[in-house]
Amino acid sequence: MRIQNHPILGEAPQPDTYIYFDGKQIPAVTGEPVAAALLAAGVHTFRHTAKTGQPRGIFCGIGRCNDCKMIVDGVPNTRTCVTPVREGMEVRTQYGLGEEETAHD
C-alpha cells in the first residue's frame, strides 16, 4: 500500500516502472528505495538470518542495520533501504549470507 495523498507532501508519484522480486513483477517509482517498492507490494520478509533462519525485514530504513539486505542484480548483501529503484532490477530474498544464491531456487 502506498500513501496516495499526504497532507503536507501532497500527491505521491505513481509507479512508472517495474522491478522483479523473486521472479514476480512489482510496480515501482524510479529512484525510490527498493525497500519502499517491496513494502508497497506487501513484501515484509527481505532475508533470513544465517544462524537461525529467522525472517528479517525493514528496521532502521537508513542503511545502518543489516535487516533489509537482499540480493540485487546478483549482488548479495545489498541494503535495499538505500538502493534506488532502476527499471528491470532483479531482487531476490537472501538466505543466510547470500553466498549460495541458488540454494533456494
Side-chain angles (χ1 to χ4, degrees):
M1 278 184 103
R2 293 178 184 273
I3 295 172
Q4 297 300 315
N5 192 358
H6 190 277
I8 296 172
L9 302 175
E11 293 209 22
Q14 295 302 305
D16 60 355
T17 192
Y18 291 95
I19 61 174
Y20 296 89
F21 168 66
D22 289 344
K24 180 181 174 187
Q25 192 177 48
I26 302 287
V29 176
T30 302
E32 77 177 331
V34 170
L38 294 174
L39 288 172
V43 177
H44 298 283
T45 299
F46 292 9
R47 70 180 188 96
H48 295 268
T49 62
K51 188 172 183 179
T52 63
Q54 294 295 308
R56 295 289 185 258
I58 196 81
F59 181 69
C60 77
I62 59 171
R64 295 292 181 195
C65 74
N66 293 313
D67 285 348
C68 71
K69 287 183 176 180
M70 300 181 85
I71 300 168
V72 177
D73 291 335
V75 179
N77 301 311
T78 302
R79 287 184 170 97
T80 59
C81 69
V82 294
T83 301
V85 162
R86 293 181 320 277
E87 182 177 357
M89 292 176 98
E90 296 281 341
V91 180
R92 298 182 62 199
T93 302
Q94 182 166 310
Y95 295 88
L97 302 176
E99 295 169 343
E100 298 179 32
E101 208 176 318
T102 58
H104 295 275
D105 286 347

